[in-house]
Amino acid sequence: MPIETTTAQPRILMCPPDFYGVEYEINPWMDREREVDHALAVEQWADLRAILESIGVKIELVPPRPGLPDLVFTANAAIVFGQRCVLSRFHHEQRQGEEPHFAAILAELGFEVVTLPDERHFEGAGDALFCGETLFGGYRIRSTALGLQHVGRIISREVIPLELVDQRFYHLDTCFCPLTTDQAVWYPPAFDSYGQAVIRSSIPTLIEVTDNEADSFAANAVVVGNRVITNSGCPQLHAELKSRGFEPIATPLGEFVKAGGSAKCLTLRLDGEEATRGRRIAD
Ligand code: ARG
């Protein structure tokens, strides 16, 4: 299959971790007793940003805000679809204050920002990922099936709702990562048997992560062309990716794992993910 290349510069939204910390507990990774090393978090975030810039990504920034420690997880801002984006409606009150800040920056960047009705929960690209034309949505723990359906109607795309059954993998991007239109990384135990069967029958090439590497957030990868960036501690996935023609890059993100996030959670792709682009790396 021919390799298509894109000429546009990739753009990613990030938020500096000035006010990042674990100040409440809304997922099993978060423990207020386990302090975040702020200086180290700043360094880890800067390293991730530097890696992205070194491979040609333009970084846009959300201004950090005191009192919103999870604003760093920009994957949860919205789902971007061309020049439109559907803003998140967070499940937990603790994160709802992020919504106007994400809306403002996305509007400033030129996007048409569409909002959902109040009762529909939806946590952006954390729970909604394209693989080809299809939008895969994670529901039950954060986003709701109705919220995902609503998003599908707004962007006129089929949504495949996948039930998440393990509280540790509470967002779809913690256990599923499309690489191209027909290849994805995933952690099967995070899905119910129906979800597993749907993923197996819709995506031709699936790379499974092990229990240990799932705990290191292996599936929470940022994909830019054939580069796949993850937290360190995922050697098996990296070897597998290499053998398939990808270029895996590891960078330590342990301070963010303390809040239940890693590489992908810290980014929001603004110009469309690789997996929506008909691009294939290896045959
Ligand atoms: N502490 C945040 C939360 O529980 C982490 C969000 C991680 N983001 C992601 N896209 N998985 O909401």
Side-chain angles (χ1 to χ4, degrees):
M1 204 181 276
I3 293 180
E4 258 180 54
T5 45
T6 41
T7 46
Q9 184 180 21
R11 282 168 82 210
I12 284 180
L13 183 70
M14 294 181 77
C15 173
D18 302 26
F19 305 106
Y20 166 68
V22 177
E23 292 173 15
Y24 44 77
E25 295 169 8
I26 57 171
N27 69 52
W29 305 89
M30 299 176 93
D31 176 354
R32 268 170 301 179
E33 308 283 287
R34 244 172 98 225
E35 252 180 62
V36 168
D37 178 336
H38 188 72
L40 185 56
V42 168
E43 192 182 313
Q44 292 182 343
W45 184 91
D47 287 348
L48 175 64
R49 176 184 180 166
I51 289 169
L52 292 170
E53 285 178 331
S54 76
I55 60 170
V57 176
K58 174 157 176 32
I59 303 295
E60 307 283 0
L61 293 177
V62 184
R65 297 276 169 169
L68 295 175
D70 276 337
L71 197 66
V72 289
F73 297 114
T74 52
N76 297 123
I79 179 166
V80 177
F81 188 68
Q83 271 321 295
R84 299 176 95 191
C85 60
V86 184
L87 192 70
S88 290
R89 275 221 184 275
F90 285 94
H91 174 81
H92 292 103
E93 207 190 334
Q94 291 94 328
R95 294 201 65 186
Q96 288 167 359
E98 298 175 33
E99 292 167 18
H101 301 294
F102 285 138
I105 189 74
L106 288 164
E108 205 174 289
L109 291 169
F111 291 94
E112 178 199 345
V113 181
V114 182
T115 52
L116 292 170
D118 282 345
E119 67 287 0
R120 302 273 192 261
H121 291 139
F122 169 63
E123 298 203 353
D127 265 340
L129 297 164
F130 277 102
C131 195
E133 295 286 296
T134 307
L135 186 60
F136 289 86
Y139 75 97
R140 178 73 66 207
I141 302 179
R142 296 292 182 86
S143 301
T144 58
L146 287 175
L148 292 169
Q149 273 169 19
H150 206 109
V151 171
R153 278 200 298 277
I154 293 171
I155 64 172
S156 308
R157 277 289 183 279
E158 186 195 354
V159 179
I160 299 196
L162 303 166
E163 183 171 347
L164 301 178
V165 297
D166 182 335
Q167 291 290 330
R168 288 175 313 143
F169 302 98
Y170 57 94
H171 276 141
L172 184 62
D173 71 358
T174 63
C175 49
F176 179 69
C177 177
L179 297 167
T180 61
T181 52
D182 55 4
Q183 306 182 81
V185 170
W186 74 319
Y187 180 58
F191 301 91
D192 69 353
S193 55
Y194 175 78
Q196 291 182 15
V198 169
I199 291 178
R200 285 203 169 94
S201 65
S202 9
I203 303 177
T205 304
L206 289 165
I207 304 175
E208 271 187 36
V209 302
T210 61
D211 294 347
N212 275 343
E213 294 196 0
D215 284 348
S216 297
F217 278 75
N220 195 250
V222 186
V223 182
V224 180
N226 69 336
R227 267 70 167 245
V228 182
I229 302 135
T230 71
N231 184 21
S232 43
C234 311
Q236 277 176 268
L237 173 65
H238 283 211
E240 187 66 43
L241 288 169
K242 250 190 208 153
S243 76
R244 293 168 192 267
F246 291 93
E247 193 187 312
I249 303 174
T251 191
L253 290 163
E255 292 311 302
F256 297 97
V257 170
K258 291 178 178 171
S262 183
K264 169 75 179 192
C265 307
L266 292 166
T267 65
L268 178 68
R269 187 74 182 251
L270 296 171
D271 60 310
E273 304 274 343
E274 259 57 33
T276 64
R277 284 199 181 126
R279 191 171 183 281
R280 197 183 159 86
I281 306 295
D283 263 318

mmCIF file of all heavy atoms in Angstrom, residues 13-16 18-19 60-66 68 71 101 104-105 108:
data_model
loop_
_atom_site.group_PDB
_atom_site.id
_atom_site.type_symbol
_atom_site.label_atom_id
_atom_site.label_comp_id
_atom_site.label_asym_id
_atom_site.label_seq_id
_atom_site.Cartn_x
_atom_site.Cartn_y
_atom_site.Cartn_z
ATOM 1 N N LEU A 13 -2.386 21.004 21.261
ATOM 2 C CA LEU A 13 -2.685 21.893 22.384
ATOM 3 C C LEU A 13 -2.167 21.267 23.681
ATOM 4 O O LEU A 13 -2.447 20.098 23.970
ATOM 5 C CB LEU A 13 -4.204 22.091 22.465
ATOM 6 C CG LEU A 13 -4.733 23.045 23.526
ATOM 7 C CD1 LEU A 13 -4.373 24.497 23.185
ATOM 8 C CD2 LEU A 13 -6.255 22.917 23.654
ATOM 9 N N MET A 14 -1.402 22.061 24.450
ATOM 10 C CA MET A 14 -0.918 21.598 25.754
ATOM 11 C C MET A 14 -1.169 22.703 26.783
ATOM 12 O O MET A 14 -1.491 23.830 26.415
ATOM 13 C CB MET A 14 0.595 21.291 25.699
ATOM 14 C CG MET A 14 0.967 20.132 24.805
ATOM 15 S SD MET A 14 2.778 19.788 24.793
ATOM 16 C CE MET A 14 3.001 18.926 26.361
ATOM 17 N N CYS A 15 -1.013 22.361 28.069
ATOM 18 C CA CYS A 15 -1.185 23.373 29.123
ATOM 19 C C CYS A 15 -0.044 23.223 30.136
ATOM 20 O O CYS A 15 0.110 22.143 30.721
ATOM 21 C CB CYS A 15 -2.540 23.177 29.817
ATOM 22 S SG CYS A 15 -2.772 24.231 31.247
ATOM 23 N N PRO A 16 0.759 24.252 30.336
ATOM 24 C CA PRO A 16 1.880 24.136 31.273
ATOM 25 C C PRO A 16 1.405 23.749 32.680
ATOM 26 O O PRO A 16 0.341 24.193 33.126
ATOM 27 C CB PRO A 16 2.492 25.546 31.281
ATOM 28 C CG PRO A 16 2.013 26.192 30.014
ATOM 29 C CD PRO A 16 0.662 25.604 29.740
ATOM 30 N N ASP A 18 1.910 24.600 35.689
ATOM 31 C CA ASP A 18 2.152 25.531 36.799
ATOM 32 C C ASP A 18 1.301 25.211 38.036
ATOM 33 O O ASP A 18 1.756 25.342 39.156
ATOM 34 C CB ASP A 18 1.831 26.985 36.378
ATOM 35 C CG ASP A 18 2.637 27.442 35.182
ATOM 36 O OD1 ASP A 18 3.064 26.587 34.378
ATOM 37 O OD2 ASP A 18 2.831 28.662 35.043
ATOM 38 N N PHE A 19 0.048 24.857 37.811
ATOM 39 C CA PHE A 19 -0.867 24.614 38.934
ATOM 40 C C PHE A 19 -1.295 23.151 39.019
ATOM 41 O O PHE A 19 -2.317 22.819 39.600
ATOM 42 C CB PHE A 19 -2.098 25.531 38.819
ATOM 43 C CG PHE A 19 -1.725 26.975 38.724
ATOM 44 C CD1 PHE A 19 -1.816 27.668 37.524
ATOM 45 C CD2 PHE A 19 -1.231 27.644 39.841
ATOM 46 C CE1 PHE A 19 -1.448 28.998 37.428
ATOM 47 C CE2 PHE A 19 -0.851 28.984 39.760
ATOM 48 C CZ PHE A 19 -0.957 29.662 38.546
ATOM 49 N N GLU A 60 0.415 24.764 20.767
ATOM 50 C CA GLU A 60 -0.414 25.891 21.197
ATOM 51 C C GLU A 60 -0.643 25.696 22.692
ATOM 52 O O GLU A 60 -0.701 24.561 23.166
ATOM 53 C CB GLU A 60 -1.774 25.873 20.480
ATOM 54 C CG GLU A 60 -1.706 25.784 18.973
ATOM 55 C CD GLU A 60 -1.331 27.107 18.304
ATOM 56 O OE1 GLU A 60 -1.116 28.112 19.030
ATOM 57 O OE2 GLU A 60 -1.242 27.125 17.072
ATOM 58 N N LEU A 61 -0.784 26.804 23.437
ATOM 59 C CA LEU A 61 -0.881 26.656 24.892
ATOM 60 C C LEU A 61 -2.192 27.177 25.477
ATOM 61 O O LEU A 61 -2.674 28.245 25.090
ATOM 62 C CB LEU A 61 0.270 27.398 25.567
ATOM 63 C CG LEU A 61 1.674 26.826 25.327
ATOM 64 C CD1 LEU A 61 2.718 27.712 26.000
ATOM 65 C CD2 LEU A 61 1.799 25.388 25.828
ATOM 66 N N VAL A 62 -2.722 26.423 26.419
ATOM 67 C CA VAL A 62 -3.839 26.895 27.246
ATOM 68 C C VAL A 62 -3.193 27.605 28.433
ATOM 69 O O VAL A 62 -2.319 27.013 29.086
ATOM 70 C CB VAL A 62 -4.660 25.715 27.828
ATOM 71 C CG1 VAL A 62 -5.867 26.225 28.608
ATOM 72 C CG2 VAL A 62 -5.075 24.733 26.764
ATOM 73 N N PRO A 63 -3.577 28.841 28.753
ATOM 74 C CA PRO A 63 -2.981 29.474 29.942
ATOM 75 C C PRO A 63 -3.368 28.693 31.200
ATOM 76 O O PRO A 63 -4.547 28.412 31.414
ATOM 77 C CB PRO A 63 -3.604 30.875 29.955
ATOM 78 C CG PRO A 63 -4.232 31.067 28.604
ATOM 79 C CD PRO A 63 -4.549 29.700 28.064
ATOM 80 N N PRO A 64 -2.383 28.301 32.041
ATOM 81 C CA PRO A 64 -2.714 27.549 33.258
ATOM 82 C C PRO A 64 -3.517 28.406 34.232
ATOM 83 O O PRO A 64 -3.400 29.626 34.212
ATOM 84 C CB PRO A 64 -1.340 27.202 33.842
ATOM 85 C CG PRO A 64 -0.372 28.119 33.201
ATOM 86 C CD PRO A 64 -0.946 28.562 31.885
ATOM 87 N N ARG A 65 -4.337 27.768 35.047
ATOM 88 C CA ARG A 65 -5.187 28.506 36.001
ATOM 89 C C ARG A 65 -5.068 27.903 37.391
ATOM 90 O O ARG A 65 -5.167 26.673 37.520
ATOM 91 C CB ARG A 65 -6.674 28.342 35.620
ATOM 92 C CG ARG A 65 -7.025 28.910 34.308
ATOM 93 C CD ARG A 65 -7.295 30.369 34.459
ATOM 94 N NE ARG A 65 -7.392 30.968 33.129
ATOM 95 C CZ ARG A 65 -7.833 32.189 32.911
ATOM 96 N NH1 ARG A 65 -8.235 32.943 33.915
ATOM 97 N NH2 ARG A 65 -7.883 32.661 31.690
ATOM 98 N N PRO A 66 -4.923 28.740 38.416
ATOM 99 C CA PRO A 66 -4.918 28.186 39.780
ATOM 100 C C PRO A 66 -6.270 27.550 40.079
ATOM 101 O O PRO A 66 -7.298 28.010 39.576
ATOM 102 C CB PRO A 66 -4.685 29.417 40.664
ATOM 103 C CG PRO A 66 -4.921 30.607 39.795
ATOM 104 C CD PRO A 66 -4.772 30.186 38.366
ATOM 105 N N LEU A 68 -7.288 24.692 39.089
ATOM 106 C CA LEU A 68 -7.687 23.700 38.080
ATOM 107 C C LEU A 68 -6.475 22.791 37.777
ATOM 108 O O LEU A 68 -5.831 22.915 36.732
ATOM 109 C CB LEU A 68 -8.182 24.384 36.798
ATOM 110 C CG LEU A 68 -9.463 25.218 36.935
ATOM 111 C CD1 LEU A 68 -9.789 25.940 35.635
ATOM 112 C CD2 LEU A 68 -10.657 24.330 37.354
ATOM 113 N N LEU A 71 -6.118 20.785 34.431
ATOM 114 C CA LEU A 71 -6.190 21.497 33.147
ATOM 115 C C LEU A 71 -5.052 21.079 32.206
ATOM 116 O O LEU A 71 -5.136 21.248 30.994
ATOM 117 C CB LEU A 71 -6.145 23.007 33.408
ATOM 118 C CG LEU A 71 -6.595 23.972 32.304
ATOM 119 C CD1 LEU A 71 -8.087 23.831 32.011
ATOM 120 C CD2 LEU A 71 -6.303 25.431 32.694
ATOM 121 N N HIS A 101 -12.442 27.641 30.063
ATOM 122 C CA HIS A 101 -11.060 27.955 29.647
ATOM 123 C C HIS A 101 -10.712 27.236 28.348
ATOM 124 O O HIS A 101 -10.085 27.803 27.456
ATOM 125 C CB HIS A 101 -10.076 27.601 30.760
ATOM 126 C CG HIS A 101 -10.370 28.338 32.018
ATOM 127 N ND1 HIS A 101 -10.239 29.702 32.098
ATOM 128 C CD2 HIS A 101 -10.858 27.918 33.208
ATOM 129 C CE1 HIS A 101 -10.621 30.093 33.304
ATOM 130 N NE2 HIS A 101 -10.994 29.027 33.985
ATOM 131 N N ALA A 104 -12.614 28.994 25.553
ATOM 132 C CA ALA A 104 -12.028 30.282 25.155
ATOM 133 C C ALA A 104 -10.810 30.079 24.267
ATOM 134 O O ALA A 104 -10.681 30.728 23.221
ATOM 135 C CB ALA A 104 -11.661 31.082 26.403
ATOM 136 N N ILE A 105 -9.923 29.166 24.637
ATOM 137 C CA ILE A 105 -8.701 29.017 23.846
ATOM 138 C C ILE A 105 -9.024 28.401 22.477
ATOM 139 O O ILE A 105 -8.451 28.801 21.453
ATOM 140 C CB ILE A 105 -7.597 28.221 24.602
ATOM 141 C CG1 ILE A 105 -6.267 28.281 23.835
ATOM 142 C CG2 ILE A 105 -7.941 26.787 24.819
ATOM 143 C CD1 ILE A 105 -5.580 29.598 23.916
ATOM 144 N N GLU A 108 -10.374 31.097 20.381
ATOM 145 C CA GLU A 108 -9.275 31.994 20.006
ATOM 146 C C GLU A 108 -8.416 31.391 18.892
ATOM 147 O O GLU A 108 -7.884 32.100 18.037
ATOM 148 C CB GLU A 108 -8.410 32.200 21.247
ATOM 149 C CG GLU A 108 -7.619 33.474 21.274
ATOM 150 C CD GLU A 108 -6.931 33.597 22.626
ATOM 151 O OE1 GLU A 108 -7.629 33.831 23.641
ATOM 152 O OE2 GLU A 108 -5.713 33.423 22.654
#
